[in-house]
Amino acid sequence: MVNQSSPVGFLLLGFSEHPYLEKILFVVVLCSYILTLLGNTLILLLSTLDPRLHSPMYFFLSNLSFLDLCFTTTCVPQMLLNLWGPTKTISFLGCSVQLFIFMLLGTTECILLTVMAFDRYVAVCQPLHYATIIHPRLCRQLAAVAWVIGLVQSIVQIPPTLRLPFCPHRQIDDFLCEVPSLIRLSCGDTTFNEIQLAVAGVIFLLVPLSLILVSYGAIARAVVRTNSSKGRRKAFGTCSSHIIVVTLFYSSVIAVYLQPKNPYAQERGKFFGLFYAVGTPTLNPLVYTLRNKEVKRAFWRLLGKDGDSGES
């Protein structure tokens, strides 16, 4: 049972109505967190230490891995504490910090995935001009823009959310502090906050997703016009990992932030939120390592073995 006499702060109800499920989720979340730390740290090491991975694609991938490490570390330790014991409390300051960082990183990932789609578009559709278009300086600028946009969005979105008049019970029907959950907790007028969240959803979810789809539409047309089957396989291998990551991330985030207002959608949103907070950062390095020969070869070289012999 949840402790109803919490100090000033919030109660994260999570899945407290299903105690048996909490123990299972504790094991799943803990294992996923360990895999996230190992997988994303490995990608950061390989991208930094292996000269053959000093390319725009792996520069953006290392940004994504660093982002995923921060993403899970922001929420998973608190989540594990709540899943393991009866105390589900989080302080107002802790909730504010989690909310700010989570919004920053989530928005940054939306923009970063769009930048990665643009990188794949140039690689497939403009291969002869790739080195001149996607040069190191542009890579750093695009990555910086993604992080700055995330920071600005967090600065704009979070303060109005935290100023809402929250209901006295202060029970957040979620496993972490998120904007939709805090809006639902308010006992006052949330029209401005809901409009603000909807506008942000269009700008930072639907627009980037549309740009990604446009990029892959152009890539698909270029691949269809390619006469070489080897060229088609190479293009598919280049883009397939990113397509999987985009599908996993956007499907779960849209389900959380653009869900309709009803109890069923809210309960379902918990599982989608759990997936994009814990599952996606775990699967990203697996997708990029298991489907990418260059990363696997770099891993064997890091161990002091020949990449080709290790892969075979």
Side-chain angles (χ1 to χ4, degrees):
M1 297 296 291
V2 176
N3 178 15
Q4 298 295 328
S5 58
S6 66
V8 176
F10 299 100
L11 283 170
L12 295 170
L13 297 181
F15 299 99
S16 56
E17 69 274 20
H18 306 295
Y20 65 92
L21 182 60
E22 287 191 314
K23 303 307 178 185
I24 298 173
L25 286 175
F26 177 86
V27 176
V28 172
V29 171
L30 179 61
C31 293
S32 298
Y33 186 47
I34 293 172
L35 288 174
T36 298
L37 294 178
L38 293 176
N40 286 290
T41 301
L42 178 62
I43 288 180
L44 284 173
L45 284 175
L46 294 177
S47 301
T48 303
L49 299 178
D50 196 309
R52 301 185 193 184
L53 298 186
H54 291 176
S55 66
M57 175 181 173
Y58 295 103
F59 171 76
F60 294 129
L61 179 57
S62 63
N63 270 266
L64 182 63
S65 294
F66 175 73
L67 189 150
D68 282 340
L69 284 173
C70 298
F71 207 71
T72 52
T73 303
T74 301
C75 62
V76 168
Q78 177 73 45
M79 193 186 305
L80 290 173
L81 288 174
N82 291 351
L83 288 172
W84 183 255
T87 303
K88 315 291 184 183
T89 58
I90 184 172
S91 67
F92 183 84
L93 177 60
C95 184
S96 303
V97 171
Q98 187 181 83
L99 194 67
F100 185 88
I101 297 177
F102 214 67
M103 177 63 70
L104 186 159
L105 297 175
T107 305
T108 301
E109 184 159 358
C110 291
I111 306 301
L112 189 59
L113 289 174
T114 309
V115 170
M116 294 173 75
F118 171 69
D119 172 68
R120 294 301 84 206
Y121 162 77
V122 177
V124 175
C125 300
Q126 303 287 336
L128 299 179
H129 304 286
Y130 180 77
T132 56
I133 296 175
I134 310 294
H135 51 79
R137 182 182 177 186
L138 179 63
C139 292
R140 291 191 295 269
Q141 290 172 339
L142 290 174
V145 166
W147 285 94
V148 169
I149 289 176
L151 177 63
V152 171
Q153 164 59 7
S154 196
I155 291 173
V156 170
Q157 184 81 54
I158 301 310
T161 303
L162 293 175
R163 285 197 295 266
L164 284 170
F166 298 115
C167 295
H169 61 78
R170 303 179 79 83
Q171 296 178 0
I172 299 176
D173 192 15
D174 209 333
F175 53 87
L176 53 84
C177 292
E178 287 195 278
V179 173
S181 301
L182 288 175
I183 290 177
R184 289 194 296 269
L185 180 62
S186 174
C187 289
D189 183 13
T190 60
T191 303
F192 171 78
N193 302 83
E194 291 176 8
I195 293 174
Q196 187 183 38
L197 185 62
V199 171
V202 171
I203 296 175
F204 299 114
L205 285 177
L206 298 185
V207 170
L209 181 59
S210 300
L211 293 175
I212 291 172
L213 294 176
V214 168
S215 297
Y216 278 107
I219 290 172
R221 288 195 298 271
V223 170
V224 168
R225 291 197 298 265
T226 302
N227 296 323
S228 169
S229 58
K230 181 179 179 181
R232 291 180 181 178
R233 286 195 302 270
K234 183 178 180 181
F236 178 76
T238 300
C239 301
S240 58
S241 297
H242 184 252
I243 293 174
I244 294 172
V245 169
V246 166
T247 303
L248 292 173
F249 178 77
Y250 273 96
S251 59
S252 54
V253 172
I254 288 175
V256 173
Y257 281 87
L258 299 181
Q259 61 177 310
K261 285 186 174 181
N262 61 71
Y264 172 74
Q266 184 175 334
E267 190 67 22
R268 183 185 60 186
K270 287 186 190 179
F271 287 96
F272 279 111
L274 183 66
F275 181 76
Y276 92 79
V278 179
T280 303
T282 304
L283 294 175
N284 285 353
L286 293 177
V287 169
Y288 276 106
T289 53
L290 295 179
R291 301 182 58 85
N292 192 307
K293 292 182 179 179
E294 291 182 0
V295 173
K296 287 189 283 187
R297 289 168 181 164
F299 173 71
W300 289 114
R301 286 194 295 268
L302 183 66
L303 297 180
K305 300 179 181 180
D306 179 72
D308 295 324
S309 63
E311 187 183 341
S312 61

